[in-house]
Amino acid sequence: MDLVVENLTVTRGGVPVLEGVGFTVTPGQVVMLRGPNGSGKTTLLRTLAGLQPALEGRVSVEPEAIAYGAHADGLKATLSVAENLKFWASVYGTNDIAPATKAFNLDGLLERAAQNLSAGQKRRLGLARLLVTGRPIWLLDEPTVSLDVASVGLFADAVRAHVADGGSALIATHIDMGIDADEVDIGPFRADPRAARVQTAFDEAFV
């Protein structure tokens, strides 16, 4: 399933930050989203994930195809590692958490409460959620934050396995993970801040 972005304008606080954005992500493809901090990568990903509306343009994708991984790990602190993954598996209608725990080296932590994990372990658990969604398109915002070198390798392996199975990934990151990937540089799509246009108050709820 393709993710097709056409002539997209996205806003932050009602002000356009990117305009005329266009690219396609196809099954089996990894695309790295590049740009300096504050350039609009997170805003673009949130728009593609359907969490805020675009000002102009079109995103062609089935909403049920997308799994979005943001800065927050999305964990329930008092639940164990296994309980967190089983909860998300139930939300997405899947059952088997074993591939996810193995991929992110969580088998020895299954009974530990999320609140008692280290920052890196929490991040691995948050990323393991991707594998229980069963969704083909991953949108990921700086997924390697708090990960050590070994854990970055686990994540890279999970992405490779995902695309080998026909999935795809759009990843905003500043690091080289050693993944065979294409790149989209959002620099050429930066909007002129002097040309601010009016946006609905709906946008503010997600800033």
Side-chain angles (χ1 to χ4, degrees):
M1 183 178 299
D2 291 350
L3 168 64
V4 181
V5 181
E6 301 175 278
N7 198 32
L8 201 68
T9 296
V10 301
T11 66
R12 183 168 55 227
V15 178
V17 291
L18 299 172
E19 58 186 1
V21 180
F23 59 87
T24 299
V25 183
T26 60
Q29 184 182 24
V30 179
V31 175
M32 299 297 184
L33 196 60
R34 305 295 193 188
N37 290 335
S39 59
K41 300 187 298 298
T42 294
T43 302
L44 176 58
L45 288 174
R46 289 176 61 84
T47 304
L48 298 181
L51 297 178
Q52 65 184 62
L55 184 61
E56 295 177 357
R58 180 181 177 187
V59 180
S60 300
V61 67
E62 292 293 330
E64 298 80 11
I66 290 177
Y68 174 54
H71 291 147
D73 294 318
L75 307 178
K76 294 184 176 294
T78 59
L79 296 186
S80 69
V81 168
E83 289 168 338
N84 267 282
L85 288 176
K86 288 176 181 177
F87 168 79
W88 285 108
S90 68
V91 168
Y92 289 99
T94 59
N95 295 302
D96 189 8
I97 68 169
T101 62
K102 181 178 180 181
F104 285 93
N105 195 23
L106 296 169
D107 287 336
L109 301 170
L110 293 180
E111 302 307 315
R112 185 175 300 181
Q115 63 190 359
N116 296 327
L117 299 174
S118 69
Q121 290 167 340
K122 288 177 182 178
R123 193 59 172 169
R124 284 178 9 232
L125 176 55
L127 292 172
R129 290 187 303 134
L130 296 168
L131 275 68
V132 303
T133 66
R135 295 192 167 186
I137 301 173
W138 292 357
L139 305 181
L140 305 175
D141 194 0
E142 299 293 347
T144 60
V145 171
S146 300
L147 295 183
D148 59 20
V149 173
S151 296
V152 171
L154 292 177
F155 170 70
D157 287 343
V159 172
R160 292 187 190 98
H162 177 64
V163 299
D165 197 36
S168 61
L170 177 62
I171 306 172
T173 183
H174 293 288
I175 73 168
D176 181 3
M177 292 178 283
I179 298 174
D180 184 16
D182 298 300
E183 292 192 1
V184 170
D185 180 2
I186 66 172
F189 303 115
R190 296 288 295 274
D192 183 348
R194 297 170 297 179
R197 282 164 281 179
V198 176
Q199 173 63 311
T200 72
F202 183 71
D203 180 55
E204 297 290 344
F206 298 102
V207 173

